[in-house]
Structure formats: C-alpha cells, structure tokens
Coordinates of all heavy atoms in Angstrom, one line a residue:
M14 N -17.3 36.1 -69.1 CA -15.9 36.4 -68.7 C -15.5 35.8 -67.4 O -16.3 35.9 -66.5 CB -15.7 37.9 -68.7 CG -14.4 38.4 -68.3 SD -14.4 40.2 -68.1 CE -15.6 40.5 -66.9
E15 N -14.4 35.3 -67.3 CA -14.0 34.7 -66.0 C -12.6 35.3 -65.6 O -11.8 35.7 -66.4 CB -13.8 33.2 -66.1 CG -15.1 32.4 -66.4 CD -14.9 30.9 -66.4 OE1 -14.0 30.5 -65.8 OE2 -15.7 30.3 -67.1
G16 N -12.4 35.3 -64.3 CA -11.2 35.8 -63.7 C -10.0 35.1 -64.2 O -8.9 35.7 -64.3
C17 N -10.1 33.9 -64.5 CA -8.9 33.1 -64.9 C -8.3 33.7 -66.2 O -7.1 33.6 -66.4 CB -9.2 31.6 -65.1 SG -10.3 31.3 -66.4
Y18 N -9.0 34.3 -67.1 CA -8.5 34.8 -68.3 C -7.6 36.0 -68.0 O -6.6 36.3 -68.5 CB -9.6 35.2 -69.3 CG -10.4 34.1 -69.7 CD1 -11.7 34.0 -69.3 CD2 -9.9 33.0 -70.4 CE1 -12.5 32.9 -69.6 CE2 -10.7 31.9 -70.7 CZ -12.0 31.9 -70.3 OH -12.7 30.8 -70.6
F19 N -8.0 36.8 -66.9 CA -7.2 37.9 -66.5 C -6.0 37.4 -65.8 O -4.9 38.0 -66.0 CB -8.0 38.7 -65.4 CG -8.9 39.8 -66.0 CD1 -10.0 39.4 -66.8 CD2 -8.6 41.1 -65.9 CE1 -10.8 40.3 -67.4 CE2 -9.4 42.1 -66.5 CZ -10.5 41.6 -67.2
D20 N -6.0 36.3 -65.1 CA -4.8 35.7 -64.5 C -3.8 35.4 -65.6 O -2.6 35.5 -65.3 CB -5.2 34.5 -63.6 CG -5.9 34.8 -62.3 OD1 -5.7 36.0 -62.0 OD2 -6.5 33.9 -61.8
G21 N -4.3 35.0 -66.7 CA -3.3 34.6 -67.8 C -2.5 35.9 -68.3 O -1.4 35.8 -68.7
I22 N -3.1 37.0 -68.2 CA -2.5 38.2 -68.6 C -1.9 39.1 -67.5 O -0.8 39.6 -67.5 CB -3.5 39.1 -69.4 CG1 -4.0 38.3 -70.6 CG2 -2.8 40.4 -69.9 CD1 -5.2 39.0 -71.3
D23 N -2.6 39.1 -66.4 CA -2.4 39.8 -65.1 C -1.1 40.6 -65.1 O -0.1 40.1 -64.6 CB -2.5 38.9 -63.9 CG -2.7 39.6 -62.7 OD1 -2.9 40.8 -62.7 OD2 -2.6 38.9 -61.6
G24 N -1.1 41.9 -65.5 CA 0.0 42.8 -65.3 C 1.2 42.6 -66.3 O 2.2 43.2 -66.1
N25 N 1.0 41.8 -67.3 CA 2.1 41.4 -68.2 C 1.7 41.7 -69.6 O 0.4 41.8 -69.9 CB 2.5 40.0 -68.1 CG 3.0 39.6 -66.7 OD1 4.0 40.1 -66.3 ND2 2.3 38.7 -66.0
T26 N 2.6 41.8 -70.5 CA 2.3 41.8 -71.9 C 2.7 40.3 -72.3 O 3.9 39.9 -72.2 CB 3.2 42.8 -72.7 OG1 2.8 44.1 -72.2 CG2 3.0 42.8 -74.2
L27 N 1.7 39.6 -72.9 CA 2.0 38.2 -73.2 C 1.5 37.9 -74.6 O 0.5 38.4 -75.1 CB 1.3 37.3 -72.2 CG 1.7 37.4 -70.8 CD1 0.8 36.6 -69.9 CD2 3.1 36.9 -70.6
R28 N 2.2 37.0 -75.2 CA 1.7 36.5 -76.5 C 0.7 35.3 -76.3 O 0.6 34.8 -75.1 CB 2.9 35.9 -77.3 CG 3.9 37.0 -77.7 CD 5.0 36.6 -78.4 NE 4.7 36.2 -79.7 CZ 5.6 35.8 -80.7 NH1 6.8 35.9 -80.4 NH2 5.2 35.4 -81.9
F29 N -0.1 35.0 -77.3 CA -1.2 34.0 -77.1 C -0.7 32.7 -76.5 O -1.2 32.2 -75.5 CB -1.8 33.7 -78.5 CG -2.9 32.7 -78.4 CD1 -4.2 33.1 -78.1 CD2 -2.7 31.4 -78.6 CE1 -5.2 32.2 -78.0 CE2 -3.7 30.4 -78.5 CZ -5.0 30.9 -78.3
N30 N 0.4 32.2 -77.0 CA 0.9 30.9 -76.5 C 1.3 31.0 -75.0 O 1.2 30.0 -74.3 CB 2.0 30.3 -77.3 CG 1.6 29.7 -78.6 OD1 0.4 29.4 -78.7 ND2 2.4 29.7 -79.6
E31 N 1.8 32.1 -74.6 CA 2.2 32.4 -73.2 C 0.9 32.3 -72.3 O 0.9 31.8 -71.2 CB 2.9 33.7 -73.0 CG 4.3 33.7 -73.6 CD 4.9 35.0 -73.6 OE1 4.3 36.0 -74.0 OE2 6.2 35.1 -73.3
I32 N -0.2 32.9 -72.8 CA -1.4 32.9 -72.0 C -1.9 31.5 -72.0 O -2.3 31.0 -70.9 CB -2.4 33.9 -72.7 CG1 -2.0 35.3 -72.6 CG2 -3.8 33.7 -72.0 CD1 -2.8 36.2 -73.5
K33 N -1.8 30.8 -73.1 CA -2.3 29.4 -73.2 C -1.5 28.5 -72.2 O -2.1 27.7 -71.5 CB -2.1 28.9 -74.6 CG -2.6 27.4 -74.8 CD -4.1 27.3 -74.8 CE -4.5 25.9 -75.1 NZ -5.0 25.1 -74.1
K34 N -0.2 28.7 -72.0 CA 0.5 27.9 -71.1 C 0.1 28.2 -69.6 O 0.2 27.3 -68.8 CB 2.1 28.3 -71.2 CG 2.6 27.6 -72.4 CD 4.1 28.0 -72.5 CE 4.7 27.6 -73.9 NZ 6.1 28.1 -74.1
R35 N -0.3 29.5 -69.4 CA -0.8 29.8 -68.0 C -2.2 29.2 -67.7 O -2.6 29.2 -66.5 CB -0.7 31.3 -67.8 CG 0.6 31.9 -67.8 CD 0.6 33.4 -67.7 NE 2.0 33.9 -67.7 CZ 2.4 34.9 -67.0 NH1 1.5 35.6 -66.2 NH2 3.6 35.3 -67.0
L36 N -2.9 28.9 -68.7 CA -4.2 28.4 -68.6 C -4.4 27.1 -69.3 O -5.1 27.0 -70.3 CB -5.2 29.4 -69.2 CG -5.2 30.8 -68.6 CD1 -6.0 31.8 -69.4 CD2 -5.7 30.8 -67.1
P37 N -3.7 26.0 -68.9 CA -3.6 24.8 -69.7 C -4.9 24.1 -69.9 O -5.0 23.3 -70.9 CB -2.6 24.0 -68.9 CG -2.6 24.5 -67.5 CD -3.0 26.0 -67.7
R38 N -5.9 24.3 -69.0 CA -7.1 23.6 -69.1 C -8.1 24.2 -70.1 O -9.1 23.6 -70.5 CB -7.8 23.5 -67.8 CG -7.0 22.7 -66.8 CD -7.5 22.6 -65.4 NE -9.0 22.6 -65.3 CZ -9.7 22.8 -64.3 NH1 -9.1 23.1 -63.2 NH2 -11.0 22.8 -64.3
I39 N -7.8 25.3 -70.6 CA -8.7 26.1 -71.6 C -8.5 25.5 -73.0 O -7.4 25.3 -73.4 CB -8.6 27.6 -71.5 CG1 -9.7 28.2 -72.2 CG2 -7.3 28.0 -72.0 CD1 -9.8 29.7 -72.0
N40 N -9.6 25.3 -73.6 CA -9.6 24.9 -75.1 C -9.1 26.1 -75.9 O -9.4 27.3 -75.7 CB -11.0 24.6 -75.5 CG -11.2 24.3 -76.9 OD1 -11.3 25.3 -77.7 ND2 -11.3 23.0 -77.3
H41 N -8.3 25.8 -77.0 CA -7.7 26.8 -77.8 C -8.7 27.8 -78.4 O -8.6 29.0 -78.3 CB -7.0 26.0 -79.0 CG -6.2 27.0 -79.9 ND1 -4.9 27.3 -79.6 CD2 -6.5 27.5 -81.1 CE1 -4.5 28.1 -80.6 NE2 -5.4 28.2 -81.5
Q42 N -9.8 27.3 -79.0 CA -10.8 28.1 -79.5 C -11.6 28.9 -78.5 O -11.9 30.1 -78.8 CB -11.9 27.2 -80.4 CG -11.2 26.6 -81.6 CD -10.7 27.6 -82.6 OE1 -11.3 28.7 -82.7 NE2 -9.6 27.4 -83.2
T43 N -11.8 28.4 -77.3 CA -12.4 29.1 -76.3 C -11.5 30.3 -75.9 O -12.1 31.4 -75.6 CB -12.7 28.2 -75.1 OG1 -13.5 27.1 -75.5 CG2 -13.4 29.0 -74.0
L44 N -10.2 30.1 -75.7 CA -9.4 31.2 -75.4 C -9.4 32.3 -76.4 O -9.4 33.5 -76.1 CB -7.9 30.7 -75.2 CG -6.9 31.7 -74.8 CD1 -7.3 32.5 -73.5 CD2 -5.5 31.1 -74.6
I45 N -9.3 31.9 -77.7 CA -9.4 32.9 -78.8 C -10.7 33.7 -78.6 O -10.7 35.0 -78.7 CB -9.4 32.2 -80.2 CG1 -8.0 31.7 -80.4 CG2 -9.8 33.2 -81.3 CD1 -7.9 30.8 -81.6
K46 N -11.8 33.0 -78.5 CA -13.1 33.7 -78.3 C -13.1 34.6 -77.2 O -13.6 35.8 -77.3 CB -14.2 32.7 -78.2 CG -15.6 33.2 -78.0 CD -16.7 32.2 -77.9 CE -18.0 32.8 -77.7 NZ -18.8 32.1 -76.7
Q47 N -12.6 34.2 -76.0 CA -12.7 35.0 -74.8 C -11.8 36.2 -74.9 O -12.1 37.3 -74.5 CB -12.3 34.2 -73.6 CG -13.3 33.1 -73.2 CD -14.6 33.7 -72.8 OE1 -14.7 34.7 -72.0 NE2 -15.7 33.2 -73.3
L48 N -10.6 36.1 -75.5 CA -9.7 37.2 -75.7 C -10.4 38.3 -76.7 O -10.2 39.5 -76.4 CB -8.3 36.7 -76.3 CG -7.5 36.1 -75.2 CD1 -6.3 35.4 -76.0 CD2 -7.0 37.0 -74.2
K49 N -11.0 37.8 -77.7 CA -11.8 38.7 -78.6 C -12.8 39.4 -77.8 O -13.0 40.7 -78.0 CB -12.4 38.0 -79.8 CG -11.3 37.5 -80.8 CD -12.0 36.8 -82.0 CE -10.9 36.4 -83.0 NZ -11.5 35.8 -84.1
E50 N -13.5 38.8 -77.0 CA -14.6 39.4 -76.2 C -14.0 40.4 -75.2 O -14.6 41.5 -75.0 CB -15.5 38.4 -75.4 CG -16.3 37.6 -76.3 CD -17.2 36.6 -75.5 OE1 -17.3 36.7 -74.3 OE2 -17.7 35.7 -76.2
L51 N -12.9 40.1 -74.6 CA -12.2 41.0 -73.6 C -11.7 42.2 -74.4 O -11.8 43.3 -73.9 CB -11.0 40.3 -72.9 CG -11.5 39.2 -71.9 CD1 -10.3 38.4 -71.5 CD2 -12.2 39.8 -70.7
E52 N -11.2 42.0 -75.6 CA -10.8 43.1 -76.4 C -11.9 44.1 -76.8 O -11.9 45.3 -76.7 CB -10.1 42.6 -77.7 CG -9.5 43.7 -78.6 CD -8.9 43.3 -79.8 OE1 -9.1 42.1 -80.2 OE2 -8.3 44.1 -80.6
R53 N -13.0 43.4 -77.2 CA -14.3 44.2 -77.6 C -14.8 45.0 -76.5 O -15.2 46.1 -76.6 CB -15.3 43.2 -78.1 CG -16.6 43.9 -78.6 CD -17.8 43.0 -78.6 NE -18.2 42.6 -77.2 CZ -18.5 41.4 -76.9 NH1 -18.7 40.4 -77.8 NH2 -18.9 41.1 -75.6
D54 N -14.7 44.4 -75.2 CA -15.1 45.2 -74.0 C -14.1 46.1 -73.5 O -14.3 46.7 -72.4 CB -15.5 44.1 -73.0 CG -16.8 43.3 -73.3 OD1 -17.5 43.8 -74.2 OD2 -16.9 42.2 -72.8
E55 N -13.0 46.3 -74.2 CA -11.9 47.2 -73.8 C -11.2 46.9 -72.5 O -10.8 47.7 -71.8 CB -12.4 48.6 -73.9 CG -12.9 49.0 -75.3 CD -13.4 50.5 -75.3 OE1 -13.5 51.2 -74.3 OE2 -13.8 50.9 -76.4
L56 N -11.2 45.5 -72.2 CA -10.5 45.1 -71.0 C -9.1 44.7 -71.3 O -8.3 44.7 -70.4 CB -11.3 43.9 -70.4 CG -12.7 44.4 -69.9 CD1 -13.5 43.1 -69.5 CD2 -12.6 45.3 -68.7
V57 N -8.8 44.3 -72.6 CA -7.4 44.0 -73.0 C -7.1 44.7 -74.2 O -8.0 45.0 -75.1 CB -7.2 42.4 -73.2 CG1 -7.4 41.7 -71.9 CG2 -8.0 42.0 -74.3
N58 N -5.8 45.0 -74.4 CA -5.3 45.5 -75.7 C -4.7 44.4 -76.5 O -4.0 43.6 -75.9 CB -4.2 46.6 -75.5 CG -4.9 47.9 -75.1 OD1 -5.9 48.3 -75.6 ND2 -4.2 48.6 -74.2
R59 N -5.0 44.4 -77.7 CA -4.4 43.4 -78.6 C -3.5 44.1 -79.6 O -4.0 45.0 -80.3 CB -5.4 42.6 -79.4 CG -4.9 41.6 -80.3 CD -6.1 40.9 -81.1 NE -5.7 39.8 -82.0 CZ -5.2 40.0 -83.2 NH1 -5.2 41.2 -83.7 NH2 -4.8 39.0 -83.9
T60 N -2.2 43.8 -79.6 CA -1.3 44.4 -80.5 C -0.7 43.4 -81.5 O -0.2 42.4 -81.1 CB -0.1 45.1 -79.8 OG1 -0.6 46.0 -78.8 CG2 0.8 45.8 -80.7
S61 N -1.0 43.6 -82.8 CA -0.5 42.7 -83.8 C 0.6 43.3 -84.6 O 0.6 44.5 -85.0 CB -1.7 42.5 -84.8 OG -1.3 41.6 -85.8
Y62 N 1.7 42.5 -84.8 CA 2.9 43.0 -85.5 C 2.9 42.4 -86.9 O 2.7 41.2 -87.0 CB 4.1 42.6 -84.7 CG 4.2 43.3 -83.3 CD1 3.7 42.7 -82.2 CD2 4.7 44.6 -83.2 CE1 3.7 43.3 -81.0 CE2 4.7 45.2 -82.0 CZ 4.2 44.6 -80.9 OH 4.2 45.2 -79.6
P63 N 3.3 43.1 -87.9 CA 3.3 42.6 -89.3 C 4.6 41.9 -89.6 O 5.5 42.3 -90.3 CB 3.2 43.9 -90.1 CG 3.8 44.9 -89.3 CD 3.6 44.6 -87.9
V64 N 4.7 40.7 -88.9 CA 5.9 39.9 -89.1 C 5.5 38.5 -89.4 O 4.3 38.1 -89.2 CB 6.8 39.9 -87.9 CG1 7.4 41.3 -87.6 CG2 6.1 39.4 -86.6
V65 N 6.4 37.7 -89.9 CA 6.2 36.3 -90.2 C 7.1 35.5 -89.3 O 8.3 35.7 -89.4 CB 6.4 35.9 -91.7 CG1 6.2 34.4 -91.9 CG2 5.4 36.7 -92.5
P66 N 6.7 34.5 -88.5 CA 5.3 34.2 -88.3 C 4.6 35.3 -87.5 O 5.3 36.2 -86.8 CB 5.3 33.0 -87.4 CG 6.7 33.0 -86.7 CD 7.6 33.8 -87.6
P67 N 3.2 35.4 -87.5 CA 2.5 36.5 -86.9 C 2.8 36.6 -85.4 O 3.0 35.6 -84.8 CB 1.0 36.0 -87.1 CG 1.0 35.1 -88.2 CD 2.4 34.4 -88.2
R68 N 2.9 37.8 -85.0 CA 3.1 38.0 -83.5 C 2.0 38.9 -83.0 O 1.8 40.0 -83.5 CB 4.5 38.7 -83.4 CG 4.8 39.0 -81.9 CD 6.3 39.6 -81.9 NE 6.4 40.4 -80.7 CZ 7.2 41.5 -80.5 NH1 7.9 41.8 -81.6 NH2 7.2 42.1 -79.4
V69 N 1.3 38.4 -82.0 CA 0.2 39.2 -81.3 C 0.5 39.2 -79.8 O 0.8 38.2 -79.3 CB -1.1 38.5 -81.7 CG1 -2.2 39.3 -81.0 CG2 -1.4 38.5 -83.2
E70 N 0.3 40.4 -79.2 CA 0.6 40.5 -77.8 C -0.7 41.1 -77.2 O -1.5 41.8 -77.8 CB 1.7 41.4 -77.5 CG 3.0 40.9 -78.0 CD 4.2 41.8 -77.7 OE1 4.0 43.0 -77.4 OE2 5.3 41.3 -77.6
Y71 N -0.9 40.6 -75.9 CA -2.1 41.0 -75.1 C -1.7 41.7 -73.8 O -0.7 41.2 -73.2 CB -3.0 39.9 -74.8 CG -3.6 39.3 -76.0 CD1 -3.0 38.2 -76.7 CD2 -4.9 39.7 -76.6 CE1 -3.5 37.6 -77.8 CE2 -5.4 39.1 -77.7 CZ -4.7 38.1 -78.3 OH -5.2 37.5 -79.4
T72 N -2.3 42.8 -73.5 CA -2.1 43.5 -72.2 C -3.4 43.9 -71.6 O -4.4 44.2 -72.4 CB -1.2 44.7 -72.2 OG1 -1.7 45.6 -73.2 CG2 0.3 44.3 -72.7
L73 N -3.5 44.0 -70.3 CA -4.7 44.6 -69.7 C -4.8 46.0 -69.9 O -3.7 46.7 -69.9 CB -4.7 44.3 -68.3 CG -5.1 42.9 -67.8 CD1 -5.0 42.8 -66.2 CD2 -6.4 42.4 -68.3
T74 N -5.9 46.6 -70.2 CA -6.1 48.0 -70.3 C -6.2 48.6 -68.9 O -6.3 47.9 -67.9 CB -7.3 48.4 -71.1 OG1 -8.5 47.8 -70.4 CG2 -7.4 47.8 -72.5
E75 N -6.2 49.9 -68.8 CA -6.5 50.5 -67.5 C -7.8 50.1 -66.9 O -7.9 49.8 -65.7 CB -6.3 52.0 -67.6 CG -6.4 52.7 -66.2 CD -6.2 54.3 -66.4 OE1 -5.4 54.6 -67.3 OE2 -6.8 54.9 -65.6
Y76 N -8.8 50.0 -67.8 CA -10.1 49.6 -67.4 C -10.1 48.1 -67.0 O -10.7 47.8 -66.0 CB -11.0 49.7 -68.6 CG -12.5 49.5 -68.4 CD1 -13.2 50.0 -67.3 CD2 -13.2 48.6 -69.3 CE1 -14.5 49.8 -67.1 CE2 -14.5 48.4 -69.1 CZ -15.2 49.0 -68.0 OH -16.5 48.8 -67.8
G77 N -9.3 47.3 -67.6 CA -9.2 45.9 -67.3 C -8.5 45.7 -65.9 O -8.9 44.9 -65.1
E78 N -7.5 46.5 -65.6 CA -6.8 46.6 -64.4 C -7.8 46.9 -63.2 O -7.7 46.4 -62.1 CB -5.7 47.5 -64.4 CG -4.5 47.2 -65.2 CD -3.6 46.1 -64.6 OE1 -3.6 45.9 -63.4 OE2 -2.8 45.6 -65.3
S79 N -8.8 47.8 -63.5 CA -9.7 48.3 -62.5 C -10.6 47.2 -62.0 O -11.1 47.3 -60.9 CB -10.5 49.4 -63.0 OG -11.5 49.0 -63.9
I80 N -10.8 46.1 -62.7 CA -11.7 45.1 -62.3 C -11.0 43.8 -61.7 O -11.6 42.9 -61.2 CB -12.6 44.7 -63.5 CG1 -13.8 43.9 -63.0 CG2 -11.8 43.8 -64.5 CD1 -14.9 43.6 -64.1
K81 N -9.7 43.8 -61.7 CA -8.9 42.7 -61.3 C -9.2 42.3 -59.8 O -9.4 41.1 -59.5 CB -7.4 42.9 -61.3 CG -6.8 42.6 -62.6 CD -5.3 42.7 -62.7 CE -4.6 43.4 -61.7 NZ -3.2 43.6 -61.8
D82 N -9.3 43.2 -58.9 CA -9.5 42.9 -57.5 C -10.9 42.2 -57.3 O -11.0 41.2 -56.6 CB -9.5 44.1 -56.6 CG -8.0 44.7 -56.4 OD1 -7.1 43.9 -56.7 OD2 -7.9 45.9 -56.1
L83 N -11.9 42.7 -58.0 CA -13.2 42.2 -57.9 C -13.2 40.7 -58.4 O -13.8 39.8 -57.7 CB -14.2 43.0 -58.7 CG -15.6 42.4 -58.9 CD1 -16.3 42.2 -57.5 CD2 -16.4 43.2 -59.8
L84 N -12.5 40.5 -59.5 CA -12.5 39.1 -60.1 C -11.7 38.1 -59.1 O -12.1 37.0 -59.0 CB -11.9 39.1 -61.5 CG -12.7 39.9 -62.5 CD1 -11.9 40.0 -63.8 CD2 -14.0 39.2 -62.7
H85 N -10.7 38.6 -58.5 CA -9.9 37.8 -57.5 C -10.8 37.4 -56.4 O -10.8 36.3 -55.9 CB -8.6 38.5 -57.1 CG -7.6 38.5 -58.2 ND1 -7.1 37.3 -58.7 CD2 -7.0 39.5 -58.9 CE1 -6.2 37.6 -59.6 NE2 -6.1 38.9 -59.8
H86 N -11.6 38.4 -55.9 CA -12.5 38.1 -54.7 C -13.6 37.1 -55.2 O -13.9 36.2 -54.4 CB -13.2 39.4 -54.2 CG -12.3 40.3 -53.5 ND1 -11.7 39.9 -52.3 CD2 -11.9 41.6 -53.8 CE1 -10.9 40.9 -51.9 NE2 -11.1 41.9 -52.7
M87 N -14.1 37.2 -56.4 CA -15.1 36.3 -56.9 C -14.5 34.9 -57.1 O -15.1 33.9 -56.8 CB -15.6 36.8 -58.2 CG -16.5 38.0 -58.1 SD -17.1 38.7 -59.7 CE -18.1 37.4 -60.3
E88 N -13.2 34.8 -57.5 CA -12.5 33.6 -57.7 C -12.3 32.9 -56.3 O -12.6 31.7 -56.2 CB -11.2 33.8 -58.4 CG -10.4 32.5 -58.7 CD -9.2 32.8 -59.4 OE1 -8.6 34.0 -59.4 OE2 -8.6 31.9 -60.1
D89 N -11.9 33.6 -55.3 CA -11.8 33.2 -54.0 C -13.1 32.6 -53.4 O -13.2 31.5 -52.8 CB -11.2 34.3 -53.0 CG -9.8 34.6 -53.2 OD1 -9.1 33.8 -53.9 OD2 -9.4 35.7 -52.8
W90 N -14.2 33.4 -53.6 CA -15.5 32.9 -53.2 C -15.9 31.6 -53.9 O -16.4 30.7 -53.3 CB -16.5 34.0 -53.4 CG -17.9 33.6 -52.9 CD1 -18.4 33.7 -51.7 CD2 -18.9 32.8 -53.7 NE1 -19.7 33.2 -51.7 CE2 -19.9 32.6 -52.8 CE3 -18.9 32.4 -55.0 CZ2 -21.1 32.0 -53.3 CZ3 -20.1 31.7 -55.4 CH2 -21.1 31.5 -54.6
G91 N -15.6 31.5 -55.2 CA -15.9 30.3 -55.9 C -15.2 29.1 -55.4 O -15.7 28.0 -55.3
R92 N -13.9 29.3 -55.0 CA -13.1 28.1 -54.5 C -13.7 27.7 -53.1 O -13.9 26.5 -52.9 CB -11.7 28.6 -54.3 CG -10.7 28.2 -55.4 CD -9.3 28.3 -55.0 NE -8.6 29.1 -56.0 CZ -8.3 30.4 -55.9 NH1 -8.5 31.1 -54.8 NH2 -7.8 31.0 -56.9
K93 N -14.1 28.7 -52.3 CA -14.7 28.3 -51.0 C -16.0 27.7 -51.2 O -16.4 26.7 -50.5 CB -14.8 29.6 -50.2 CG -13.5 30.2 -49.7 CD -13.7 31.5 -49.0 CE -12.3 32.1 -48.7 NZ -12.4 33.5 -48.2
H94 N -16.8 28.2 -52.1 CA -18.1 27.6 -52.4 C -18.0 26.2 -52.9 O -18.7 25.2 -52.5 CB -18.9 28.5 -53.4 CG -20.2 27.9 -53.8 ND1 -21.2 27.9 -53.0 CD2 -20.6 27.3 -55.0 CE1 -22.3 27.3 -53.6 NE2 -21.9 27.0 -54.8
R95 N -17.1 25.9 -53.8 CA -16.8 24.6 -54.3 C -16.4 23.6 -53.2 O -16.9 22.5 -53.2 CB -15.8 24.6 -55.5 CG -15.6 23.3 -56.2 CD -14.5 23.3 -57.3 NE -14.4 24.5 -58.0 CZ -13.3 25.2 -58.0 NH1 -12.2 24.8 -57.4 NH2 -13.2 26.4 -58.7
Q96 N -15.5 24.1 -52.4 CA -15.0 23.3 -51.3 C -16.2 22.9 -50.3 O -16.3 21.8 -49.9 CB -13.9 24.0 -50.5 CG -13.3 23.1 -49.4 CD -12.1 23.9 -48.8 OE1 -12.1 25.2 -48.7 NE2 -11.2 23.2 -48.3
R97 N -17.0 23.9 -50.0 CA -18.1 23.7 -49.2 C -19.1 22.7 -49.7 O -19.6 21.8 -49.1 CB -18.9 25.0 -49.0 CG -20.1 25.0 -48.1 CD -20.7 26.4 -48.0 NE -21.8 26.3 -47.1 CZ -22.8 27.2 -47.1 NH1 -22.7 28.2 -47.9 NH2 -23.9 27.1 -46.3
K98 N -19.3 22.8 -51.0 CA -20.3 21.8 -51.7 C -19.7 20.4 -51.7 O -20.4 19.4 -51.5 CB -20.6 22.2 -53.1 CG -21.5 23.5 -53.2 CD -22.9 23.2 -52.6 CE -23.7 24.3 -52.6 NZ -25.1 24.0 -52.0
Q99 N -18.4 20.3 -51.9 CA -17.8 19.0 -51.8 C -17.8 18.4 -50.4 O -18.0 17.2 -50.3 CB -16.3 19.1 -52.3 CG -16.1 19.4 -53.8 CD -14.7 19.7 -54.2 OE1 -13.9 20.0 -53.4 NE2 -14.5 19.6 -55.5
E100 N -17.7 19.2 -49.4 CA -17.8 18.7 -48.0 C -19.2 18.3 -47.7 O -19.3 17.4 -47.0 CB -17.3 19.8 -47.0 CG -15.8 20.0 -47.1 CD -15.4 21.2 -46.3 OE1 -16.2 21.9 -45.7 OE2 -14.1 21.5 -46.3
E101 N -20.2 18.9 -48.3 CA -21.6 18.5 -48.1 C -21.9 17.1 -48.7 O -22.6 16.4 -48.1 CB -22.6 19.5 -48.7 CG -22.6 20.9 -48.0 CD -23.6 21.9 -48.6 OE1 -24.3 21.4 -49.6 OE2 -23.6 23.0 -48.2
V102 N -21.2 16.8 -49.7 CA -21.4 15.5 -50.4 C -20.8 14.4 -49.5 O -21.4 13.3 -49.5 CB -20.8 15.5 -51.9 CG1 -20.8 14.1 -52.5 CG2 -21.5 16.6 -52.7
K103 N -19.8 14.6 -48.8 CA -19.1 13.7 -48.0 C -19.9 13.1 -46.9 O -20.7 13.3 -46.3 CB -17.7 14.1 -47.5 CG -16.7 14.4 -48.6 CD -15.5 14.9 -48.0 CE -14.5 15.2 -49.1 NZ -13.3 15.8 -48.7

C-alpha cells in the first residue's frame, strides 16, 4: 500500500475515474488491485450503485483516515531520501 492511493481519495468521495485522474502515472489494473486491497483492509469503503453505466464510489473509512498523517510523513521522507540519493550521484 502506498500513500499516493490515499491522496487520490483523501477526504473525498470519488469515482474510479476521478481517482485515476488524480494518479495519472498508475496503471489501470494496478489501481483496481490496490483499491480492492484497501477495501479488504477496511481502509476504504466501496459503494456500488445498481445503475447503467455502473457507478462505484470510494471513500476513506475512519480507520483509513487514522493512518493518513503517517503516510504523509512517509511520503515526505521518501521525497527527501530520493533527493538525497540524486545529489549523491551528481
């Protein structure tokens, strides 16, 4: 699981395509897989509506909200680490 998937949802109720637009570098199938894992781990709620075309919405659960700060700190550390490694190469 990566913080970026949370950023796609972060405090909003979003449809799959809206999340995909927020995470343009992620592969379609990878996003599907990750959202299923987040749902299985009870970090996101998936709501499916019986309409045509299909409509599915995702929101963070209370449990998912509780881990956001930690993931943002990890993401910040990752950026700093990447930058440090790139500077070492120069």
